[in-house]
Amino acid sequence: MNEHDERGTTMTGVDPSRLDDTQLMKELETIHRTRHDTLLYGSNDALRAHNERMAQLEGEYLRRNPRRLVSAARTREGARGRCCGEAATPGPSGS
């Protein structure tokens, strides 16, 4: 059995805690990029595996970054105050 395939368990891929920060971000970018196609065209098993892996990776990211930047526009109050067309994520200046 290798680190990428643990048959008989829910783990697929490398345990997120074993990834360095760069690898974790690359895995997150990949899984988010493939999410839509998996939802639309993947089998139920593929979608289940995708859900589990995404939760593992996102959980590890949140564990490592408990004080990550949270944009006020991404809260309910911020969304209510946003006018049509305004960005919901912080710009390069952090505003």
Side-chain angles (χ1 to χ4, degrees):
M1 183 180 320
N2 65 40
E3 63 185 10
H4 296 285
D5 184 11
E6 297 182 17
R7 296 178 197 278
T9 69
T10 58
M11 176 57 110
T12 57
V14 176
D15 183 333
S17 67
R18 294 177 54 196
L19 300 170
D20 65 32
D21 288 345
T22 302
Q23 292 168 323
L24 179 61
M25 288 307 295
K26 185 175 180 181
E27 289 284 322
L28 282 165
E29 289 167 1
T30 299
I31 203 158
H32 286 122
R33 187 176 56 249
T34 61
R35 178 65 181 170
H36 191 72
D37 282 345
T38 305
L39 175 63
L40 295 179
Y41 308 115
S43 67
N44 288 341
D45 286 342
L47 186 58
R48 179 195 48 76
H50 204 274
N51 288 342
E52 289 176 10
R53 181 63 174 171
M54 188 165 25
Q56 293 164 355
L57 293 167
E58 289 177 345
E60 181 63 18
Y61 177 83
L62 293 172
R63 185 189 69 75
R64 292 183 194 186
N65 300 282
R67 291 188 172 98
R68 73 194 192 287
L69 176 65
V70 176
S71 170
R74 297 297 300 183
T75 65
R76 284 186 183 184
E77 184 177 333
R80 285 186 199 110
R82 191 169 47 237
C83 181
C84 40
E86 289 183 35
T89 56
S93 65
S95 58

